[in-house]
């Protein structure tokens, strides 16, 4: 049996700052191959960030460490790489949510934004969650569900995704 691909990006390096964290569902195959989050061409994560004023310019996946300079970081709910998120089991999501909660308790970022409301629902056992801020917290960390930037999530346009990310930015940085 083949060993499942996992992303080797150290979570601790990306979660040290006391600022918002974006949390993808799991690494895609391109991310696992390159060790760069949201690495597949056409993924809308990177264009959405400057549109939401998280970054001053469009970053390339290989520049992901520059997010730290802008008060952001990235991690995943599930470390196993797949071609599609629907290849993950509910147990992987729940275990990923449990492990993520432990990391958040240790590293204590102010915000965690999960990119994918379905992943959020399963990982944190909240079947009624919607995109936006959540009432639940994990310790001192406030939670928000964001639309998944994957191209398969076509019912969210990049402009409306940027608006939702902008609301996170405003809440995280105390903007009106």
């Amino acid at each position: 049996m083949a060993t499942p691909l996992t992303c080797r990006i150290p979570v601790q390096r990306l979660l040290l700052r006391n600022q918002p964290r974006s949390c993808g569902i799991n690494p895609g195959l391109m991310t696992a191959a390159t060790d760069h989050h949201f690495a597949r061409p056409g993924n809308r994560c990177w264009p959405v960030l400057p549109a939401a004023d998280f970054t001053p310019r469009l970053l390339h996946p290989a520049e992901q460490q520059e997010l730290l300079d802008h008060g952001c970081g990235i991690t995943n709910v599930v470390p196993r790489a797949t071609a599609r998120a629907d290849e993950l089991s509910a147990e992987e999501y729940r275990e990923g949510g449990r492990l993520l909660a432990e990391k958040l308790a240790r590293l204590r970022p102010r915000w965690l934004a999960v990119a994918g409301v379905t992943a959020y629902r399963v990982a944190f056992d909240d079947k009624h969650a919607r995109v936006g801020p959540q009432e639940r917290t994990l310790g001192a960390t406030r939670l928000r569900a964001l639309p998944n930037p994957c191209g398969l999530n076509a019912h969210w346009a990049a402009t409306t995704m940027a608006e939702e990310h902008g609301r996170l930015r405003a809440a995280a940085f105390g903007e009106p």
Side-chain angles (χ1 to χ4, degrees):
M1 182 168 146
T3 303
L5 292 171
T6 59
C7 189
R8 296 178 301 275
I9 301 167
V11 172
Q12 291 77 4
R13 179 169 37 115
L14 296 177
L15 286 175
L16 288 174
R17 287 257 182 99
N18 190 24
Q19 295 297 336
R21 305 292 154 250
S22 178
C23 182
I25 297 170
N26 74 308
L29 299 179
M30 183 77 72
T31 291
T34 64
D35 276 344
H36 302 305
H37 286 282
F38 302 106
R40 178 160 300 288
N43 188 293
R44 298 173 295 173
C45 172
W46 297 106
V48 162
L49 293 176
D53 291 329
F54 265 108
T55 60
R57 66 175 179 84
L58 176 64
L59 298 177
H60 184 273
E63 298 174 303
Q64 66 189 11
Q65 284 79 4
E66 288 187 35
L67 286 175
L68 293 173
D69 295 334
H70 305 290
C72 301
I74 302 178
T75 189
N76 292 298
V77 174
V78 178
R80 184 171 70 91
T82 61
R84 296 170 47 111
D86 62 6
E87 296 174 37
L88 299 170
S89 70
E91 181 53 39
E92 285 177 288
Y93 281 112
R94 285 190 293 273
E95 177 66 6
R98 186 188 68 73
L99 293 172
L100 189 55
E102 288 177 4
K103 290 172 189 166
L104 295 174
R106 188 174 71 249
L107 300 170
R108 303 179 66 199
R110 287 180 48 222
W111 283 90
L112 175 72
V114 177
V117 69
T118 301
Y120 177 92
R121 288 174 183 152
V122 179
F124 298 112
D125 194 29
D126 184 354
K127 62 184 175 185
H128 301 293
R130 297 193 179 284
V131 168
Q134 307 302 306
E135 291 193 28
R136 176 183 184 179
T137 62
L138 290 174
T141 304
R142 296 181 66 190
L143 302 173
R144 188 174 198 101
L146 293 173
N148 184 345
C150 173
L152 297 174
N153 188 13
H155 61 276
W156 278 87
T159 53
T160 53
M161 290 174 61
E163 290 168 3
E164 196 59 46
H165 279 73
R167 286 190 271 282
L168 167 63
R169 186 197 78 260
F173 294 110
E175 299 170 15

